[in-house]
Amino acid sequence: MSNTQPQVIDIHSHFFPPITQAEAAALDPHAAPWLQVKDNEHGMIMTGSKPFRPVYSALWDPARRIAEMDKAGVDLQIMCATPVMFGYSYPVEQALPWAQRMNDYAIELCAHDPKRLKTLAQVPLQNIDAACLEASRAKSIGHIGVQIGNHLGSKDLDDADMLTFLTHCANEDIPLLVHPWDMMGGEQRMKKWMLPWLVAMPAETQLGILSLILSGAFERLPTSLKICFAHGGGSFAFLLGRVDNAWRERDIIREDCPNLPSSYVDRFHVDSAVFDSRALELLVDIMGEERVMLGSDYPYPLGEQQVGQLIRDTRFSAATHAQLLAGNARRFFGI
């Protein structure tokens, strides 16, 4: 990276630290995630004794990550937990130490080159007091924000506890990345072909956004809240016209949402991980060029394989490319 401001910042990438089976067993010996390293190059994320996902060394090796960043022309990358690490289903007495250990691991990975690698913390959302405390602690040790799942069981982002956490982050100037997880549909309907990732993930993300808009939560949350939704906001931009039409035609939609849903797009950001230049152009047109940031979902195979190329392939001006590639991220994360 040059000595000047970074020109390419990837705000959505994942890591998985070298969690041992013994460490995972302290959370849950039957289902907690850990990393089985087969050699220096390949590994398997395990949940208890079950294989969960094959992975490779960029996920836990910062030197490999930076080498691939150099190859892709990425100056700075912001890492966050692989969602299987969240630990939301466990009692806070177990989940808080787990989150703290994962956050310390993340800082250790970034210490390899803190000018090139930054990280977002995870928090135990099942206990809002503990989540707030850990978000603040994580900021104090070097995290530049927090990643959360888009829901907690039946609680969407408009739940009173979730709003308490969002307000804490707004007041403490802690940016948030919302990532879909624990997808709807179940095994019976999302049976194969990676349908949870292809159908449920975009729907979960749209649900997270609309829960804040249609509930009126954005009317109650501080305007200082910095919140970004992963995967281009899911299906939100493409279906926003449908939501606006419903708001105009049905009073039940207007019951808690005093303004046209599309008027709230200035309250949140999205990343660019939509994988089609036409989709990205629509997304920027809907959201505004100042609210879209480069996000790759690196290093997973469903992420952007040539990080940043999608933005470069759009018909936007050089100034807009610069905003999407880095300028918006510098402002959002204060880097």
Side-chain angles (χ1 to χ4, degrees):
M1 185 174 71
S2 66
N3 292 325
T4 59
Q5 289 182 319
Q7 301 304 303
V8 179
I9 301 174
D10 181 359
I11 70 115
H12 177 189
S13 72
H14 293 286
F15 74 96
F16 194 98
I19 305 166
T20 66
Q21 189 171 14
E23 282 181 292
L27 179 66
D28 180 351
H30 304 293
W34 58 283
L35 183 64
Q36 183 182 75
V37 178
K38 298 179 179 179
D39 51 43
N40 291 331
E41 177 65 18
H42 302 95
M44 178 69 72
I45 296 176
M46 305 288 292
T47 51
S49 60
K50 297 178 181 179
F52 175 75
R53 180 180 297 170
V55 291
Y56 77 106
S57 61
L59 203 60
W60 66 86
D61 181 353
R64 174 66 181 273
R65 180 179 291 261
I66 288 176
E68 295 194 352
M69 288 167 57
D70 289 342
K71 186 177 179 181
V74 175
D75 296 313
L76 189 153
Q77 198 169 66
I78 299 173
M79 306 184 303
C80 56
T82 299
V84 71
M85 296 162 61
F86 284 159
Y88 290 158
S89 63
Y90 299 102
V92 67
E93 293 79 12
Q94 296 166 259
L96 177 58
W98 172 263
Q100 290 171 332
R101 180 61 183 127
M102 297 308 105
N103 293 337
D104 292 345
Y105 258 137
I107 292 297
E108 291 170 17
L109 291 174
C110 289
H112 180 82
D113 191 340
K115 292 183 178 180
R116 303 291 302 278
L117 300 175
K118 305 291 183 184
T119 187
L120 306 178
Q122 66 182 74
V123 296
L125 276 181
Q126 60 269 61
N127 184 293
I128 295 303
D129 289 341
C132 291
L133 288 172
E134 180 56 16
S136 296
R137 185 195 79 91
K139 181 180 179 180
S140 74
I141 64 171
H143 288 264
I144 64 169
V146 169
Q147 177 194 216
I148 61 172
N150 67 299
H151 70 106
L152 184 69
S154 62
K155 294 181 178 181
D156 286 308
L157 294 178
D158 63 308
D159 178 84
D161 284 343
M162 301 289 263
L163 293 184
T164 296
F165 179 73
L166 297 184
T167 299
H168 173 81
C169 290
N171 292 337
E172 296 288 319
D173 191 24
I174 299 173
L176 292 167
L177 176 67
V178 181
H179 197 288
W181 80 292
D182 189 30
M183 279 82 76
M184 62 180 70
E187 293 182 0
Q188 295 303 310
R189 300 197 65 210
M190 302 289 176
K191 45 190 173 295
K192 59 178 183 177
W193 314 302
M194 297 199 76
L195 286 177
W197 285 262
L198 303 180
V199 175
M201 268 195 170
E204 287 283 2
T205 306
Q206 183 188 20
L207 177 57
I209 296 171
L210 289 182
S211 72
L212 292 177
I213 293 176
L214 298 182
S215 69
F218 275 133
E219 298 291 330
R220 303 187 295 277
L221 286 166
T223 56
S224 59
L225 176 66
K226 295 178 179 178
I227 186 167
C228 176
F229 289 86
H231 302 150
S235 46
F236 172 80
F238 186 76
L239 296 177
L240 182 56
R242 180 180 179 87
V243 180
D244 277 356
N245 180 66
W247 185 89
R248 292 187 185 101
E249 301 300 328
R250 295 296 306 273
D251 55 3
I252 192 173
I253 307 297
R254 298 189 296 272
E255 187 174 296
D256 299 306
C257 180
N259 299 301
L260 193 68
S262 59
S263 69
Y264 293 93
V265 297
D266 63 350
R267 297 297 304 275
F268 61 95
H269 288 59
V270 297
D271 73 15
S272 64
V274 295
F275 309 103
D276 184 291
S277 60
R278 298 164 299 177
L280 182 57
E281 288 166 4
L282 171 66
L283 182 63
V284 172
D285 185 54
I286 294 292
M287 293 298 303
E289 63 183 36
E290 70 277 15
R291 288 184 290 275
V292 180
M293 301 180 283
L294 169 62
S296 70
D297 212 7
Y298 170 95
Y300 288 121
L302 291 189
E304 186 180 11
Q305 298 305 298
Q306 295 179 292
V307 179
Q309 192 58 46
L310 179 65
I311 290 173
R312 299 184 185 98
D313 286 344
T314 59
R315 295 172 288 185
F316 299 128
S317 67
T320 299
H321 283 165
Q323 275 193 280
L324 302 179
L325 288 168
N328 294 336
R330 286 197 298 265
R331 183 180 66 254
F332 186 87
F333 289 102
I335 51 181

